[in-house]
Structures are given as structure tokens and as C-alpha cells.
Amino acid sequence: MSRETEAVSTNPTPPPARVLVIEDETTLAGLIAAYLSRAGYATTTVHTGPDGVQAVREHAPDVVILDLGLPGLDGIEVCRQIRTFSDCYVIVVTARKDEVDTLIGLSVGADAYVTKPFSVRELLARVQTVLRRPRTGSTSASETPSSEPIRVVGALRVDPNGHRVHLADTEVALTPTERDLLITLARRPTMAFTRRQLIDVIWGTDWVGDEHLVDVHVAHLRRKLGDDPDTGRYVTTVRGIGYRMGQG
Ligand code: CA
């Protein structure tokens, strides 16, 4: 008993992050799950689309690793359904790199993409990176100014303190990534961010991958805000640079 007490008082361990693997190739799914479990994650594995949606409801995972080609319900539809009730991180596993472009148009709301073939080590790195991201919703008070100005652009109101976004009088349901993007832009409203700068703030400076990912999330964000898909009013495209908050 005393040993337990000591362990708790000197090194309080947070509960392990929960990862759900939705992958129909059972050997690959087992390999991923074993690797993640060894790395300390509480891992669950399912093999079909409908089971995937059900498992997100039951287990409320922190991260979902989602294969696109699934029986029963394809990964795109699974992601859409998950997004109607969960803001967990979704890492999509695609067979082709150009599928990411298709996903932009479909606005499925994934947070990261990994292209097959990948190493489990690479996948683990992705999981660690999304979980390490500086979540705007969980930043401690000591790291942020106690009061940041609320940014208003037309009907859009972004509150960096309360981490809330309203359009007219209605709160907009955003994924953590979309909210982080908008709040990052709102904190420096006169600054045009490059994609890399946004990645450094939101995904972390050690993020390696296609900077196109930013465009995916801007596209999702614009759709939810009813913004122009190409130029944007709330999130403005700055030609040759990247993105800036719209001017209020
Ligand atoms: Ca598959």
C-alpha cells in the first residue's frame, strides 16, 4: 500500500490516451494495435465501418486511426458520421497521396493523413504529435494572457479566451483543429501566416508532412462558417503567402 501511495504522490500518471484503430486488414490492425499498446496507449481495434462508428460512441477515443477502404461503410462516411458527435483526432490512412486532394473536396474533417505503405513507427509518431499539440482549449492560464480581445468580422465572433466561435448568435461546432486554426489567426489579425507558420503553431514544429494539410482544414472551416470556398471573407487567402483573419 505504501508503495502505491509513493508512486501516486511522486509521479502522478495520467490515464493513457485511448486510440481506436479502424482497419479491415486484420494483420495490419493487430500490428498497429500491438505497437500502440506497447507505447502505452489504450488501444481498441475494429474491422468494419459500422463497428468503427459504434466504437467511437462506446469508447470515446482521443485518436482514431481510420483506414479509408472499409467494408460496410467506407472511411469517408465513417469520418463524416464520427464528426457529427465527436471531436476526437482522426488520422486517415490513404492508399494514394492524391486521395488527400479528393478528401479536401469532400470535407470529411480528418486531422492528419498517412499514406500507405507506412511504418508503424511513423504512425506512432503521428499519434504522439496530434496528442502533443498545443490545444487552444486546454492551454493553462499561465501560458496565455488572461484577457485577449474578441475578434469580430461581420457576423463572426471569435473569443480566444473562452475558445468559442459564434456566427450571429449561434455557436459554431468546430473540430479542435478548425478551432485552433481560427483562434491562431484571430490572435494576430493583421498577420498573414504562411502554411508552415500555422503548422508550427497548431501541429508543432516537428511536424513533417504535406503543408497542403492546412488547406484541407481551412476548406472545412470555411464550409462551416458559410464562407467563400476560394477566397474567404472570414479566413482570407493571401496570394503567395497563406492565410489571414478577415478584416472586421
Ligand atoms: Ca482497407
Side-chain angles (χ1 to χ4, degrees):
M1 194 186 86
S2 60
R3 219 176 46 190
E4 266 182 21
T5 308
E6 194 186 334
V8 167
S9 60
T10 56
N11 184 23
T13 313
R18 293 181 301 275
V19 181
L20 172 68
V21 181
I22 311 176
E23 167 64 73
D24 61 322
E25 292 172 48
T26 52
T27 309
L28 178 60
L31 187 72
I32 293 169
Y35 201 86
L36 291 172
S37 299
R38 264 208 309 280
Y41 296 104
T43 311
T44 308
T45 307
V46 293
H47 306 296
T48 72
D51 286 352
V53 176
Q54 183 62 25
V56 175
R57 286 190 196 281
E58 281 175 14
H59 302 290
D62 300 295
V63 180
V64 171
I65 294 169
L66 175 63
D67 182 36
L68 273 196
L70 289 168
L73 200 61
D74 71 28
I76 289 167
E77 190 53 33
V78 170
C79 194
R80 274 215 186 101
Q81 292 195 16
I82 289 173
R83 276 287 170 257
T84 63
F85 63 90
S86 170
D87 66 356
C88 63
Y89 287 119
V90 177
I91 300 176
V92 162
V93 175
T94 69
R96 298 195 324 271
K97 199 160 186 173
D98 60 1
E99 276 183 339
V100 174
D101 293 327
T102 310
L103 293 166
I104 300 170
L106 294 172
S107 300
V108 295
D111 295 279
Y113 299 89
V114 173
T115 312
K116 282 184 177 178
F118 58 86
S119 67
V120 280
R121 182 198 295 246
E122 181 189 347
L123 192 59
L124 174 63
R126 282 294 155 97
V127 170
Q128 289 169 331
T129 305
V130 292
L131 287 171
R132 224 180 23 239
R133 272 169 48 181
R135 300 285 291 273
T136 53
S138 58
T139 312
S140 73
S142 61
E143 294 172 49
T144 48
S146 57
S147 181
E148 295 182 79
I150 290 173
R151 197 66 53 194
V152 177
V153 182
L156 177 69
R157 191 156 51 90
V158 184
D159 175 6
N161 303 304
H163 310 286
R164 302 176 94 173
V165 175
H166 285 81
L167 202 53
D169 288 328
T170 309
E171 183 162 7
V172 187
L174 300 175
T175 65
T177 303
E178 292 156 1
R179 197 183 54 223
D180 289 357
L181 247 178
L182 195 55
I183 287 176
T184 300
L185 294 171
R187 282 188 166 135
R188 306 281 298 278
T190 57
M191 175 171 168
F193 287 82
T194 65
R195 289 168 181 78
R196 185 66 233 183
Q197 285 171 324
L198 290 167
I199 285 173
D200 287 349
V201 172
I202 297 160
W203 283 267
T205 50
D206 59 347
W207 177 267
V208 179
D210 191 348
E211 293 183 5
H212 206 45
L213 180 71
V214 174
D215 303 336
V216 178
H217 294 284
V218 167
H220 295 155
L221 186 55
R222 282 176 171 166
R223 185 177 52 83
K224 288 189 182 176
L225 298 177
D227 210 352
D228 185 282
D230 298 317
T231 53
R233 183 166 38 121
Y234 301 130
V235 177
T236 312
T237 300
V238 183
R239 269 181 179 279
I241 299 178
Y243 298 104
R244 190 182 61 202
M245 189 78 193
Q247 299 305 297

